[in-house]
Amino acid sequence: MKFTKMSLVAALLMGSSAFAIDNIKMSGDAKLFYATSDAKSGYDQAYNAFTNGYTKKDGDLFSKDSSAADAALSLNITADLYKNDMVSISAGAGYTVLSTLGLENNLVSNVWGGSHQATFGTGASYGTVNGGALNGAKVENANWMTEAWLAVTAGKTTVKLGRMELDTPLAFTETWSAEKNTFEAIVAVNQDIPDTTLVGAYVGNGNGSETFGQANMASNINPIAGVSLAYAPVVNGGGKFATYGRDGAYAIGAINNSFKPLTAQAWYYNVMDVATAYWLQADLNMEGIVAGAQYTGLKADAVGAKEDNVYALMLGYEMKDVATFKIAYSDVNKNGSVGAAGFNTATSTGASKLYTEAWWNYGYVTRSDTQTISVSAEANVATIDLGAYYTDANQGSKKDIAGNELRNVDMKEFTLTAGKDFGPLNATLAYIYTKADDQNIKPYATKGSSYNSVQAYLTLNF
């Protein structure tokens, strides 16, 4: 799911321009997210594995076992610590608490966040499958410090050190779920060259559920029949931080806007002892016409590894304060060793910044030998933000080493959204139609059936 967020560079520059004001600022948000679907998944799938031998074909919209909910509270504080004519110093901290509010025992049987842990044998109704397979479970609240950083600015250079959000093309904070991942890093941003921003970073740790390098730190909330009860996991169990990749990662980037309608950027990454990657992008915005091109590649460090790469093109039209229409296409090569390209290396969600990325079903447009087309329309009608999004990802057929045909995985998604602000409160509803070969597979079927999802988001900003 896509929500607009400030880029790393913009966030750092805003922070540096605010250093001239001696102030302490507090901000945050409170979230209550709910989702339901008629797919056989989550607790509904686990329950039927024990009681019906997977013979029940579908879930039920708005039923307890087919629904998930979570509440989250995030608090942030920033302060200017020191300022003279040469140097400015500021600091910031953030804390997040994730709670089901006990809803898993009453209205829903699944949670949103992967940071939850569970205590078993409590006798509670949650987790009591097949007459007491786990003797009940209590879903524990999760809480952790999301940010704790210090920033120093001298001239047109800002250096930020500590725990923070990042927003680079191949390593970024995901904010679409009830929880968000952050990093422990050092980042330097320089703007001495006119219309150019240079970025250098070292990322040592992260708490996203990444799949490269580190040991499995997933929540223990998915023990029932091996089925995950976390609907939208992004963060490690308990919010724990671990080494990024195997030995950390370096990134350098350059963003140029010398020709004002055009923004070009180039990035290079070295996830040490794991892989190297690059990202090239150019975006044009001229008199309502928007267009863009992306190309990115990833190559594992293993001997003989072949590069995975993908290109994406986008064309659209913006009527300011009225509507925006876009169409995009992407194509992933089929000979890469990793089997995917362009995805966020910081989590295992499969999310990407490709123009064709789906609104909800991540991890498809980046797969090897996948061609994707996406179409979107966004408009504001009577103070209501409306959106319609369609994604069609088609993966070519594959063969194993012995030449046997492997199943390709196609995915189609159609999403409608409606959101409205009531002062500091935003309320958003979403309907999602999904047809994916590897989801909602019915008994004796080889490919998944289509299903419907409904989501509700309440976000109070303060």
Side-chain angles (χ1 to χ4, degrees):
M1 186 182 68
K2 299 174 182 173
F3 286 120
T4 302
K5 69 185 295 291
M6 184 180 299
S7 71
L8 163 67
V9 175
L12 286 173
L13 296 179
M14 179 174 285
S16 63
S17 64
F19 289 167
I21 302 175
D22 296 325
N23 57 7
I24 297 176
K25 293 182 178 180
M26 297 191 65
S27 62
D29 57 54
K31 300 175 180 177
L32 180 61
F33 289 179
Y34 170 84
T36 186
S37 81
D38 58 10
K40 185 174 65 177
S41 61
Y43 194 94
D44 186 73
Q45 179 180 350
Y47 181 83
N48 283 287
F50 280 100
T51 60
N52 298 325
Y54 287 104
T55 58
K56 183 181 177 183
K57 293 184 178 181
D58 297 298
D60 298 301
L61 280 171
F62 305 108
S63 71
K64 179 174 181 285
D65 291 346
S66 296
S67 303
D70 240 328
L73 176 65
S74 296
L75 299 174
N76 299 281
I77 182 171
T78 60
D80 297 334
L81 304 182
Y82 177 79
K83 183 179 183 300
N84 61 24
D85 293 337
M86 298 290 292
V87 177
S88 298
I89 303 174
S90 64
Y95 203 84
T96 289
V97 178
L98 202 67
S99 173
T100 66
L101 303 178
L103 295 175
E104 78 278 5
N105 290 310
N106 299 284
L107 300 178
V108 300
S109 293
N110 304 277
V111 300
W112 274 69
S115 57
H116 286 293
Q117 301 288 330
T119 300
F120 303 106
T122 66
S125 63
Y126 183 74
T128 306
V129 174
N130 196 26
L134 295 175
N135 194 25
K138 178 183 182 298
V139 179
E140 303 292 350
N141 295 338
N143 61 91
W144 68 95
M145 183 162 283
T146 55
E147 295 187 80
W149 53 264
L150 186 72
V152 179
T153 296
K156 295 183 178 181
T157 300
T158 297
V159 177
K160 192 174 183 179
L161 171 68
R163 185 173 292 184
M164 68 190 80
E165 294 186 29
L166 293 180
D167 190 17
T168 75
L170 295 175
F172 55 90
T173 296
E174 298 183 23
T175 60
W176 55 273
S177 185
E179 59 189 8
K180 63 181 179 181
N181 62 300
T182 52
F183 305 80
E184 292 177 347
I186 179 170
V187 181
V189 178
N190 177 269
Q191 285 191 310
D192 281 317
I193 302 174
D195 302 313
T196 301
T197 300
L198 303 177
V199 182
Y202 169 75
V203 181
N205 296 315
N207 71 340
S209 54
E210 61 169 304
T211 55
F212 287 133
Q214 65 184 20
N216 183 11
M217 298 186 67
S219 170
N220 70 336
I221 204 167
N222 57 345
I224 304 175
V227 177
S228 174
L229 304 182
Y231 179 70
V234 174
V235 173
N236 287 330
K240 294 180 180 178
F241 283 75
T243 302
Y244 196 85
R246 292 178 180 171
D247 297 302
Y250 291 93
I252 57 174
I255 302 100
N256 181 267
N257 187 223
S258 297
F259 176 54
K260 296 310 175 187
L262 180 69
T263 300
Q265 54 181 310
W267 296 82
Y268 174 80
Y269 300 80
N270 184 352
V271 185
M272 291 185 291
D273 298 323
V274 176
T276 56
Y278 59 90
W279 181 284
L280 305 173
Q281 181 172 336
D283 294 285
L284 179 72
N285 190 334
M286 181 184 297
E287 299 181 353
I289 301 295
V290 292
Q294 298 170 323
Y295 187 80
T296 178
L298 171 72
K299 186 175 182 181
D301 285 349
V303 176
K306 297 180 179 180
E307 179 180 288
D308 297 79
N309 56 65
V310 55
Y311 73 86
L313 303 172
M314 179 271 295
L315 181 65
Y317 184 71
E318 291 183 351
M319 294 181 285
K320 188 176 181 181
D321 300 325
V322 178
T324 301
F325 306 93
K326 292 181 181 179
I327 184 170
Y329 175 82
S330 64
D331 190 350
V332 187
N333 73 328
K334 62 181 179 181
N335 298 316
S337 299
V338 176
F343 57 90
N344 185 11
T345 61
T347 73
S348 58
T349 67
S352 78
K353 291 185 176 292
L354 293 174
Y355 300 129
T356 52
E357 184 59 89
W359 194 89
W360 179 256
N361 288 282
Y362 294 149
Y364 290 92
V365 306
T366 56
R367 293 187 182 186
S368 176
D369 196 19
T370 295
Q371 296 77 45
T372 303
I373 186 169
S374 68
V375 181
S376 66
E378 298 175 331
N380 184 279
V381 180
T383 71
I384 298 177
D385 293 320
L386 302 175
Y389 311 87
Y390 176 74
T391 302
D392 188 346
N394 291 278
Q395 187 178 40
S397 60
K398 299 180 293 183
K399 295 182 179 180
D400 61 18
I401 297 177
N404 299 313
E405 197 78 18
L406 299 175
R407 187 184 73 179
N408 62 319
V409 178
D410 298 338
M411 187 278 295
K412 292 180 176 62
E413 175 192 297
F414 177 64
T415 300
L416 295 173
T417 64
K420 181 175 175 60
D421 290 328
F422 301 90
L425 176 66
N426 176 270
T428 298
L429 290 174
Y431 163 77
I432 307 166
Y433 166 89
T434 300
K435 174 73 168 67
D437 290 342
D438 61 346
Q439 296 187 50
N440 196 34
I441 301 176
K442 297 180 180 182
Y444 314 113
T446 58
K447 290 188 177 183
S449 299
S450 63
Y451 66 93
N452 305 283
S453 303
V454 176
Q455 301 175 351
Y457 302 83
L458 290 175
T459 303
L460 178 66
N461 296 295
F462 51 85

